[in-house]
Amino acid sequence: VTGESLIERFRTARSDPGLVVLEGFHAVKHAVRFGADILEAVAEDPEEIGTLARRLAPDVAEDRPGAVTRVPAGTLAAICPSPPSTGVVALARRPRVASYDVLADAGAAPVVFLEDPRHPGNAGAAIRVAAAAEAAGVLTSGELDPWGPAAIRGAAGLQFAVPVARVRELPPADRRLVALDPEGEPLERGTIPPRAVLAFGAERAGLSADLVARADARLRIPMREGVSSLNLATAVAAVLYALRLD
Ligand SMILES: C[S@@+](CC[C@H](N)C(=O)[O-])C[C@H]1O[C@@H](n2cnc3c(N)ncnc32)[C@H](O)[C@@H]1O
């Protein structure tokens, strides 16, 4: 395999809907830990990655010893617009996730729906907290790819730990739909039922009028007077953890 074909492979993977580009140690670590099918991993200094793995993720280091291929200096800069400081990049197969399966999950955990998010870092941070708080899944609408390289980076690869799928629009489901909106009624203990779909709006535009009209409830996270809204991912975190501690 020549250096050029490797660079080409990683470059084309960025827009390949069948693949996932994992940039940085934490993204690769989570992907491996949560069962990703890693196709290849490269670093300019694989020994350093091995040391990092043994220190921060011995489970992963033990699972895949020596799985990182050395590449010439400058390769990471050629395959990533912003090379990760931890110096490792990998390709994985993208799992198929059906929104139907996410919504049909029989457990009490909520599903997070992000309506038309615009910032991949925000979508990634929302996915990261959804994985941590054990949400049943994350669905997104709009153009942003929640499995794209920047969203993967924002989520530290935790798309592999919680089902994540993009939908054209939110499908009907046997779940209550709760719109989270700074203009809603105050969120109080016990107001969100089990298995709800929690809908969050876009960073600038908020939720669409259609989504609000469909919702069974419209709730706001209380804020100090004068504060107009929370950041999207922060709002997702506040609601998921309020529910967990309920
Ligand atoms: C940055 S906010 C959007 C602000 C937008 N100008 C608006 O008025 O909705 C992005 C999303 O985060 C959620 N959000 C932010 N602050 C919230 C709050 N205090 N209560 C409930 N949801 C909130 C909402 O779902 C909102 O659509």
Side-chain angles (χ1 to χ4, degrees):
V1 175
T2 68
E4 200 167 285
S5 72
L6 178 137
I7 290 170
E8 204 41 43
R9 217 162 46 247
F10 273 81
R11 273 206 190 129
T12 56
R14 301 184 79 79
S15 53
D16 185 332
L19 296 176
V20 181
V21 178
L22 300 156
E23 296 174 338
F25 176 76
H26 295 288
V28 176
K29 171 194 72 180
H30 281 136
V32 171
R33 186 174 284 156
F34 290 102
D37 182 5
I38 304 286
L39 301 172
E40 58 184 314
V42 299
E44 291 168 15
D45 186 352
E47 286 79 21
E48 195 181 308
I49 304 304
T51 306
L52 207 57
R54 282 188 295 280
R55 185 160 59 84
L56 299 179
D59 57 322
V60 170
E62 202 169 291
D63 192 33
R64 300 178 67 84
V68 180
T69 304
R70 183 185 306 279
V71 290
T75 307
L76 291 200
I79 60 180
C80 303
S82 168
S85 59
T86 47
V88 59
V89 181
L91 292 185
R93 218 179 289 286
R94 192 187 291 214
R96 285 176 192 274
V97 179
S99 59
Y100 172 84
D101 292 334
V102 175
L103 291 165
D105 185 288
V111 170
V112 172
F113 174 57
L114 307 178
E115 189 185 42
D116 199 13
R118 299 304 174 96
H119 192 291
N122 270 337
I127 291 165
R128 185 174 186 167
V129 74
E134 297 183 280
V138 179
L139 303 178
T140 69
S141 65
E143 292 301 308
L144 186 147
D145 179 1
W147 286 87
I152 289 281
R153 209 158 162 159
L158 284 163
Q159 281 84 346
F160 287 95
V162 61
V164 175
R166 181 154 51 140
V167 293
R168 204 181 297 274
E169 57 182 49
L170 181 65
D174 174 27
R175 290 174 178 266
R176 308 286 282 175
L177 176 58
V178 176
L180 278 305
D181 185 339
E183 302 295 314
E185 298 296 316
L187 170 62
E188 283 169 7
R189 203 174 275 276
T191 45
I192 297 184
R195 300 191 75 250
V197 173
L198 307 172
F200 297 86
E203 291 84 345
R204 196 166 289 190
L207 284 167
S208 68
D210 281 358
L211 191 297
V212 172
R214 261 179 80 179
D216 300 294
R218 186 183 188 190
L219 300 177
R220 81 177 135 89
I221 302 159
M223 295 181 296
R224 177 182 177 172
E225 205 179 318
V227 178
S228 46
S229 69
L230 299 175
N231 159 275
L232 168 58
T234 308
V236 174
V239 175
L240 287 178
Y241 275 93
L243 262 181
R244 264 179 87 95
L245 302 176
D246 218 359

